[in-house]
Amino acid sequence: MANLSRLERLLQAIGEDNLPHPSIAPAAKPQEIEEDQRHLIKSQPTSSANEWWNAQPVTPKVAQPITSKQAHVSPQSNPLSGTPAPLGLRFSPFIAITKFPYKFVQKQWMQPIATLFFDQGKIWEREWDLYYIWTEHCPSPNPIAFIPEHQLNDLVAEINQAFPDANVVITDDLREDGLVLDFNEFTDNPDFRPRWLGRSTSKAQYQSWMDNLIMANSTPSAAPERSLQAFKEKIERAAEINKNKSKATRTKRQQEQVVKRQVMAQSLQRAQRYLGLLPPTDPTMPDIASLSPSPIDVDKPASHPFDQEVIFIAFDVELYERGPNFVTEIGVATLDTADLADLAPGRVGEAWQKVIRARHFRIAEYKHYRNKDFVEGCPDKFEFGTSEFISKDSIGTTLSSCFKPPFSRPAESERERNVILVGHDIRMDIQYLQNAGFNVLNSASVIGQIDTAELYRVYSRDPNARSLGGILLDHDLMGWHLHNAGNDAVYTLWGLLATCVQAASQRGTAEEALKHQSVMEKRMEVAAEQAREKVLFDGEGWVVGGSTTEEGQEKAKYYTPGGAALDV
């Protein structure tokens, strides 16, 4: 590789057959060549263009080719075909994934990503665990294929490794539109959950299987109307996002998002009332919620009573990255509002952080498993105490003791208290614990739950969720050894306190107004630049013929799949 020229390395990476014919390629300025070539294929961020040229290109994962005979084996010949998917998985519509760069990636990255991962059948030749839904309940006339969400995450991770500057993410809006769907609410009706189809490694295999599928037997009368309606809505979203040009009802989706944001805003207000940062609601004065209280002084104790004197219990679950239901760590952190009386919170709640109690449980049977491919696991780096090893069969009883008196206190007994569950993307952690044998919602003391990802979205007015580490960084908090479940449980409470205290100290101030104005202006700048890039992209390729060199000779032009000129 070291002896090859830059152009030879480029051609070897993308394949000379992928270059458009000179007669149909658009003209381009020579100075554009160097810039665009650097963005074709990257294996990792580098400090200079020269380092990139010497780097080895990322090789997409593809499965072994299959024979024609294997491709046309009926899915019904597999004894496991048709088995409902286990609870705990979320799914992505498969056809939408095969069109991923053309539907969900910014224009300048679309073709480079497609060339490396999707075009010429590459996306079909990966190893996919296929599931399907097709019953009499299904509003779609044809079966819909799905893959587990973790396989989509694997693909996105590979794309970001090859193109770090592309920063491809699965946004909350894409999830809302149906790119990731959760069927775990349908625990009592397997008709509403994806069924196993098989492990596919080619388009021919996928097509043959889908053509030979038989609609699953179902009993429409057994489905409750509310569940049936929810199921149909999910399938409609899946079918819509699979289309080449999605015509989803954006107005309806936007209305739903506005309602969801209002609910999240109420959650932030509720959390502040629990912490004495807002006055409790008064049913005799219904208009009290419309009043605008003054900002708090972070150097003084909370000026309002702690609504319902709750105990916040945050928890985090770490899974082994190669097994979706494989729980390796559980963290539990407790914050009792009774400990906050007469204690000033500090700038981002630092003083209140000191009364948090934490526990870190490691599953003894899986103590040798450590994540390293997608996140850097650190199960032995618990920063707030000593880790405890428990067996997988004792998860339920051990966690139950954390959610009732004495609530991880050293005291022998304590009265019953109201508990608020806290988590970052709390829905999934609740599901993971349920799969591990503990239903955290079963306790009578639990009166509500708060998601710190949603709280921060309200505070920052960000349409997308931020990572826990990103929230800590924004509040100038240092979190050591993230992805240790015990640490993350504590940091989740840090995020809760920081967001609530910051929002309460800034409300109604010029600082708050300036912050929101700055965020809005930056988003408008990004939107304007993206619109400009689209206009420029749409204007490419319309010039007929080639350019003329200084010597008056017609010079042939070759281009990358992204439209960048190659000087050959």
Side-chain angles (χ1 to χ4, degrees):
M1 288 284 290
N3 295 325
L4 299 178
S5 69
R6 293 189 296 177
L7 177 58
E8 288 171 330
R9 291 193 190 101
L10 179 63
L11 293 177
Q12 189 177 78
I14 65 177
E16 201 164 354
D17 291 338
N18 290 330
L19 297 175
H21 191 274
S23 63
I24 61 171
K29 298 177 182 179
Q31 59 265 33
E32 295 174 347
I33 298 172
E34 186 70 16
E35 179 65 24
D36 281 357
Q37 286 176 351
R38 286 204 303 272
H39 289 78
L40 269 177
I41 301 172
K42 296 183 182 180
S43 59
Q44 57 184 356
T46 55
S47 59
S48 70
N50 289 333
E51 289 178 3
W52 173 76
W53 285 112
N54 294 323
Q56 293 294 325
V58 172
T59 303
K61 296 179 181 178
V62 295
Q64 291 296 320
I66 62 169
T67 66
S68 176
K69 182 177 180 181
Q70 289 174 317
H72 295 287
V73 173
S74 170
Q76 276 72 28
S77 63
N78 185 337
L80 295 179
S81 179
T83 305
L87 293 172
L89 295 177
R90 291 188 291 191
F91 293 89
S92 294
F94 181 51
I95 295 302
I97 302 308
T98 65
K99 305 170 184 175
F100 190 86
Y102 301 104
K103 290 172 65 70
F104 312 118
V105 172
Q106 292 183 18
K107 288 285 187 182
Q108 67 267 35
W109 296 107
M110 178 182 71
Q111 193 56 60
I113 290 173
T115 298
L116 188 58
F117 290 96
F118 290 80
D119 292 351
Q120 295 184 321
K122 294 187 186 77
I123 192 63
W124 297 92
E125 292 165 5
R126 294 172 67 95
E127 194 169 73
W128 297 111
D129 290 336
L130 293 181
Y131 293 77
Y132 72 95
I133 289 180
W134 197 28
T135 74
E136 294 178 18
H137 304 296
C138 191
S140 172
N142 300 309
I144 297 179
F146 297 88
I147 61 168
E149 180 194 17
H150 65 85
Q151 290 191 337
L152 169 60
N153 292 338
D154 290 350
L155 175 62
V156 171
E158 288 181 46
I159 291 173
N160 284 324
Q161 181 190 5
F163 304 96
D165 295 339
N167 190 29
V168 176
V169 294
I170 308 303
T171 65
D172 289 343
D173 285 345
L174 287 180
R175 294 174 183 273
E176 289 289 334
D177 285 345
L179 192 61
V180 178
L181 293 167
D182 189 340
F183 296 92
N184 292 304
E185 63 194 89
F186 306 120
T187 56
D188 299 327
N189 198 323
D191 287 347
F192 293 172
R193 298 211 309 275
R195 295 174 179 269
W196 171 250
L197 180 58
R199 185 158 289 169
S200 174
T201 56
S202 78
K203 187 173 184 178
Q205 188 175 46
Y206 162 83
Q207 196 61 59
S208 176
W209 284 357
M210 296 298 285
D211 290 343
N212 287 281
L213 266 179
I214 299 175
M215 181 181 288
N217 293 326
S218 57
T219 53
S221 60
E225 184 59 33
R226 184 175 179 181
S227 296
L228 182 59
Q229 187 59 38
F231 169 74
K232 287 183 176 180
E233 181 183 339
K234 291 179 187 291
I235 296 301
E236 287 170 354
R237 288 161 63 191
E240 194 66 43
I241 205 165
N242 271 341
K243 294 179 180 178
N244 287 332
K245 293 185 178 180
S246 179
K247 297 179 181 178
T249 53
R250 297 300 301 176
T251 301
K252 178 182 177 183
R253 198 68 67 209
Q254 288 171 352
Q255 291 172 345
E256 292 173 350
Q257 289 172 355
V258 168
V259 172
K260 184 177 179 180
R261 290 169 188 168
Q262 291 172 341
V263 172
M264 288 192 290
Q266 293 170 1
S267 179
L268 176 59
Q269 292 177 336
R270 191 170 70 252
Q272 289 179 323
R273 290 190 178 98
Y274 293 143
L275 291 167
L277 304 175
L278 269 179
T281 55
D282 187 346
T284 65
M285 300 179 65
D287 293 334
I288 193 72
S290 63
L291 301 179
S292 299
S294 303
I296 67 165
D297 185 342
V298 297
D299 296 321
K300 294 181 180 180
S303 56
H304 303 289
F306 297 99
D307 192 15
Q308 302 188 68
E309 296 183 337
V310 305
I311 291 179
F312 293 104
I313 299 182
F315 57 98
D316 181 78
V317 179
E318 292 295 319
L319 304 179
Y320 184 54
E321 59 195 357
R322 294 302 181 186
N325 298 318
F326 200 135
V327 176
T328 57
E329 303 173 58
I330 302 171
V332 178
T334 307
L335 174 65
D336 189 343
T337 54
D339 295 332
L340 305 181
D342 302 321
L343 183 63
R347 183 184 62 86
V348 287
E350 293 114 326
W352 285 357
Q353 292 175 6
K354 298 176 182 178
V355 300
I356 294 173
R357 299 182 296 276
R359 299 179 75 178
H360 177 228
F361 303 107
R362 296 183 61 183
I363 311 307
E365 291 88 342
Y366 308 135
K367 63 181 180 181
H368 299 300
Y369 291 89
R370 186 184 185 119
N371 291 334
K372 59 181 180 180
D373 291 338
F374 304 119
V375 297
E376 189 61 37
C378 48
D380 55 344
K381 301 293 185 182
F382 182 42
E383 298 286 329
F384 303 97
T386 303
S387 299
E388 305 170 52
F389 285 91
I390 63 174
S391 70
K392 62 180 181 180
D393 295 330
S394 65
I395 290 176
T397 54
T398 302
L399 292 183
S400 293
S401 68
C402 299
F403 288 81
K404 60 186 179 183
F407 300 103
S408 299
R409 281 179 176 272
E412 294 183 0
S413 63
E414 189 175 324
R415 63 185 174 86
E416 289 289 340
R417 300 284 299 281
N418 292 322
V419 170
I420 300 297
L421 301 178
V422 185
H424 193 80
D425 192 11
I426 190 172
R427 208 162 47 98
M428 289 310 300
D429 283 327
I430 289 174
Q431 187 65 60
Y432 294 148
L433 286 184
Q434 184 173 337
N435 295 343
F438 178 66
N439 189 340
V440 69
L441 300 176
N442 263 354
S443 174
S445 59
V446 174
I447 63 171
Q449 52 186 274
I450 290 174
D451 193 320
T452 52
E454 294 183 352
L455 290 193
Y456 184 81
R457 287 181 63 188
V458 176
Y459 167 73
S460 63
R461 299 190 181 180
D462 195 330
N464 300 316
R466 290 281 297 276
S467 68
L468 180 58
I471 292 175
L472 295 180
L473 185 64
D474 186 66
H475 290 307
D476 293 326
L477 292 170
M478 179 62 72
W480 295 98
H481 298 117
L482 289 159
H483 300 298
N484 174 292
N487 296 341
D488 284 0
V490 174
Y491 296 147
T492 297
L493 286 182
W494 284 16
L496 167 74
L497 295 176
T499 301
C500 289
V501 170
Q502 286 276 71
S505 65
Q506 296 173 2
R507 63 185 168 219
T509 65
E511 178 187 2
E512 181 186 47
L514 187 62
K515 179 186 72 174
H516 292 319
Q517 180 182 352
S518 176
V519 169
M520 202 63 115
E521 288 176 353
K522 287 180 180 178
R523 288 185 190 146
M524 292 178 70
E525 288 175 5
V526 171
E529 180 59 25
Q530 289 176 345
R532 177 180 176 276
E533 290 175 355
K534 184 180 185 306
V535 171
L536 291 175
F537 179 85
D538 291 344
E540 291 181 0
W542 301 107
V543 177
V544 179
S547 62
T548 304
T549 65
E550 292 180 359
E551 294 79 10
Q553 298 295 323
E554 190 77 9
K555 188 175 181 181
K557 290 285 185 178
Y558 289 88
Y559 295 83
T560 70
L566 297 178
D567 191 5
V568 297

